[in-house]
Amino acid sequence: MEEAPKSHTGDTLLNYYMTMYMDGIEISWASGVNTRDTLLEVMKDFLVMMLEADIDFITSSDKKTKTPIIVNSETKPGDFSGDMTMVEWMSKISKYSNKGMKLNFKDDEALRVAFPLLYTMKETLHAPIWIHADVVAGPNNPKVTVHAKNLLDIIKEFPKVTLSLGWSTEWDPDGHQFSYTWREVINMAKVCAPIRQHVSFAVRAVFAVRSIRQLKWILSLTNRFTITVWANKYDILAIPELHHFRKNMDPKKVYYNLPLNMVEGLRKVSAEQEKDTGKQGRIAKWDRTIWQPMLLQSASLAFMGSEQVVIDGPGSWLVSRIPYQPELQRTRTTVVSGKIQFLRPIALVAVETRFQLFIRSSGVNPPPESKVQGVRLTITDDGTLSLSAENLIRAGAYGMQTSAKLPQTDCYTFRLVDKGDGFPVYCEIRTATCEGEDVNDSVSVELHLRVPYDTQGQLFYISLTISGGKDPVIIEDLTVI
């Protein structure tokens, strides 16, 4: 075999392989390349682009040296059933091909043993290198064997490596969880917050189709994120569900590490989708460019996706970049609307979470949170509602605070209307379904509050935050008109 030309790249796979259709399904994979014979066979296949192997280590007889090895994924950790070291495996691929490599790590010690050797090889590795580990607890499996902090500390020396980050998962047809929950996906976003490298999220196919909203959200946080769909050989996959998943995802952002017959079927789905619907898709109802996150504490987080924003932690605010004064609007009315989703707390003794939306607001920082001015709508996770004036001059001139109670549910929609001088502030809050279209049996209430109108003393920014509990809140379809 001829030696491959060396030109190190940190590009994504589609750029590196320059596929004709810029579609992640065009990237071909060989999984379980864990023996010498398998490696030699796969390297002869010019259609295979990415080779995947499992990394473990052996300890020398004197207990002084640990060597990273390619190991059969079905053996116990630490058992030397393979016939190649990691260095030998990577060297052969790099020397004789342009194929990329994905290294799967199952524990912290294997990472610690392997990375010093990877560091010595990095100048000779010219094709894409992916490092995979499951770092967040996922569906049906709370056990995580690789700690995210350890991986991120080590990976700093390899800025051009792509991280393949996954959730620990177990699947059973009689299991209790069949999707990645919002909490699990938000936890992954927290892990990735400090990362500036390319990240591909390893998504198990059996959970993918019921997690489209969550996965589209995390993909939209940055253009450095992609998804790699994979399957265990014992998983029972509903092929129509995979077709539905592909139709609803950006083809440039999703790779498919699946059996060849499934991939061929999914290619046809792409052609059918283009023929039937063209480029039509769901248009995001909110514009994240008009909002400014204000994170006032070390634990404050705001993840702004293309369709949803997630607010998490104390001191987390969103403030509009411009004021919205009713008489300056085209319709002489300011309308703020959206849907919020509360995540049910894990703790047995829960503290209520409150979503707070301010209009005619001063913004925040400055003033401090306790001094924020405006008309405030509060929606609590138990369905308690209130509309009140906060820290405004001439507070004694206002009518009584209005309040109500809706049935407790996870999701509520709101529509807050400010027509300016001479009109009360009006708000309609309604119970809602969290997935799909809202049904007709939802319950709603209307709140009104008459507030003196002061164009000199009142500011007209829109701001929102959460308070009380420690659980994040998802805000969807947030619009200002």
Side-chain angles (χ1 to χ4, degrees):
M1 289 182 288
E2 296 180 357
E3 292 193 19
K6 296 178 174 57
S7 55
H8 193 280
T9 177
D11 293 338
T12 61
L13 294 188
L14 292 179
N15 289 335
Y16 177 78
Y17 288 109
M18 293 186 292
T19 64
M20 182 182 301
Y21 302 105
M22 291 302 287
D23 187 334
I25 206 167
E26 299 300 325
I27 301 299
S28 54
W29 303 77
S31 299
V33 186
N34 293 324
T35 66
R36 188 184 304 273
D37 290 342
T38 306
L39 175 62
L40 293 177
E41 186 67 25
V42 171
M43 287 182 65
K44 296 176 184 177
D45 188 345
F46 67 92
L47 294 178
V48 174
M49 301 174 183
M50 291 291 292
L51 309 185
E52 183 177 4
D54 302 305
I55 308 300
D56 209 324
F57 64 92
I58 55 171
T59 305
S60 62
S61 57
D62 60 6
K63 309 296 183 183
K64 294 182 179 180
T65 305
K66 294 180 179 179
T67 303
I69 60 168
I70 305 298
V71 66
N72 191 313
S73 60
E74 296 182 355
T75 62
K76 296 180 180 179
D79 288 352
F80 181 56
S81 61
D83 56 2
M84 298 185 75
T85 66
M86 181 193 74
V87 171
E88 184 181 5
W89 187 87
M90 297 183 72
S91 296
K92 285 186 178 296
I93 296 171
S94 183
K95 184 176 182 180
Y96 296 110
S97 78
N98 280 325
K99 300 182 187 297
M101 294 169 258
K102 180 182 175 186
L103 308 178
N104 298 329
F105 291 88
K106 303 297 178 65
D107 59 64
D108 290 326
E109 184 62 12
L111 275 171
R112 190 192 66 79
V113 171
F115 267 79
L117 292 174
L118 283 176
Y119 186 82
T120 64
M121 297 178 66
K122 68 178 185 178
E123 295 303 324
T124 66
L125 300 175
H126 52 85
I129 306 295
W130 284 29
I131 302 298
H132 172 80
D134 294 334
V135 295
V136 173
N140 308 313
N141 186 0
K143 185 178 180 181
V144 175
T145 57
V146 175
H147 295 86
K149 184 179 184 304
N150 294 340
L151 174 61
L152 299 187
D153 286 344
I154 292 173
I155 209 71
K156 290 177 182 177
E157 300 295 330
F158 300 85
K160 293 184 178 181
V161 163
T162 293
L163 293 178
S164 170
L165 301 182
W167 294 262
S168 58
T169 60
E170 293 289 345
W171 180 81
D172 186 291
D174 299 320
H176 70 279
Q177 186 177 338
F178 297 96
S179 68
Y180 295 97
T181 66
W182 269 108
R183 192 182 300 276
E184 289 163 352
V185 178
I186 291 170
N187 286 342
M188 181 65 81
K190 292 180 181 179
V191 168
C192 296
I195 298 175
R196 295 296 176 263
Q197 293 157 271
H198 289 280
V199 176
S200 191
F201 302 109
V203 172
R204 195 165 180 170
V206 288
F207 302 120
V209 72
R210 294 179 177 87
S211 313
I212 289 175
R213 287 177 68 232
Q214 297 92 314
L215 295 174
K216 288 179 72 173
W217 168 77
I218 198 170
L219 277 182
S220 69
L221 296 180
T222 169
N223 59 13
R224 292 180 286 104
F225 289 172
T226 59
I227 281 175
T228 304
V229 180
W230 65 278
N232 185 285
K233 65 180 180 180
Y234 299 111
D235 291 348
I236 301 174
L237 297 176
I239 302 304
E241 291 189 349
L242 279 178
H243 291 180
H244 176 71
F245 177 82
R246 176 156 166 79
K247 285 180 180 180
N248 283 275
M249 303 299 289
D250 182 349
K252 298 187 298 297
K253 305 283 282 184
V254 184
Y255 304 111
Y256 293 88
N257 185 1
L258 296 171
L260 183 59
N261 62 324
M262 291 185 187
V263 173
E264 290 302 322
L266 289 173
R267 279 199 178 96
K268 297 177 183 178
V269 170
S270 178
E272 291 170 4
Q273 179 192 23
E274 186 175 350
K275 178 180 179 181
D276 292 341
T277 64
K279 297 183 178 180
Q280 293 180 358
R282 184 178 186 274
I283 299 174
K285 292 184 179 180
W286 91 297
D287 182 359
R288 54 183 162 185
T289 64
I290 72 172
W291 298 94
Q292 174 66 47
M294 303 295 291
L295 308 178
L296 307 184
Q297 300 185 30
S298 59
S300 304
L301 291 169
F303 296 106
M304 300 174 66
S306 61
E307 297 180 5
Q308 301 95 356
V309 57
V310 173
I311 305 294
D312 190 15
S316 302
W317 288 76
L318 283 187
V319 180
S320 64
R321 295 182 182 273
I322 61 173
Y324 289 87
Q325 192 169 333
E327 62 266 26
L328 301 182
Q329 303 299 103
R330 182 176 59 83
T331 60
R332 302 186 67 82
T333 301
T334 298
V335 180
V336 187
S337 61
K339 176 191 286 188
I340 59 172
Q341 179 176 347
F342 294 104
L343 300 185
R344 293 296 112 192
I346 298 176
L348 295 178
V349 181
V351 178
E352 65 181 20
T353 299
R354 295 181 295 274
F355 166 79
Q356 298 178 328
L357 170 67
F358 293 80
I359 62 171
R360 304 188 193 178
S361 173
S362 58
V364 68
N365 192 33
E369 291 181 273
S370 61
K371 301 296 184 181
V372 172
Q373 299 175 344
V375 178
R376 180 181 67 182
L377 168 67
T378 301
I379 304 176
T380 306
D381 59 5
D382 66 355
T384 301
L385 314 170
S386 67
L387 191 61
S388 61
E390 297 296 319
N391 299 313
L392 293 177
I393 301 173
R394 298 163 56 201
Y398 304 150
M400 294 297 292
Q401 169 180 316
T402 62
S403 61
K405 182 76 162 62
L406 281 173
Q408 182 176 17
T409 184
D410 289 343
C411 288
Y412 300 90
T413 62
F414 61 88
R415 184 171 180 269
L416 186 60
V417 180
D418 184 5
K419 292 187 176 182
D421 195 14
F423 295 90
V425 175
Y426 160 83
C427 187
E428 180 187 31
I429 306 97
R430 183 181 295 271
T431 59
T433 58
C434 296
E435 302 284 345
E437 297 295 327
D438 293 333
V439 294
N440 294 328
D441 59 353
S442 63
V443 182
S444 66
V445 297
E446 297 178 358
L447 304 179
H448 299 80
L449 181 68
R450 187 169 293 278
V451 182
Y453 193 72
D454 182 3
T455 58
Q456 301 300 318
Q458 295 175 2
L459 300 177
F460 289 87
Y461 291 93
I462 299 169
S463 56
L464 57 89
T465 187
I466 60 173
S467 63
K470 297 182 179 180
D471 298 292
V473 171
I474 302 156
I475 307 160
E476 189 170 8
D477 299 337
L478 179 62
T479 60
V480 183
I481 57 176

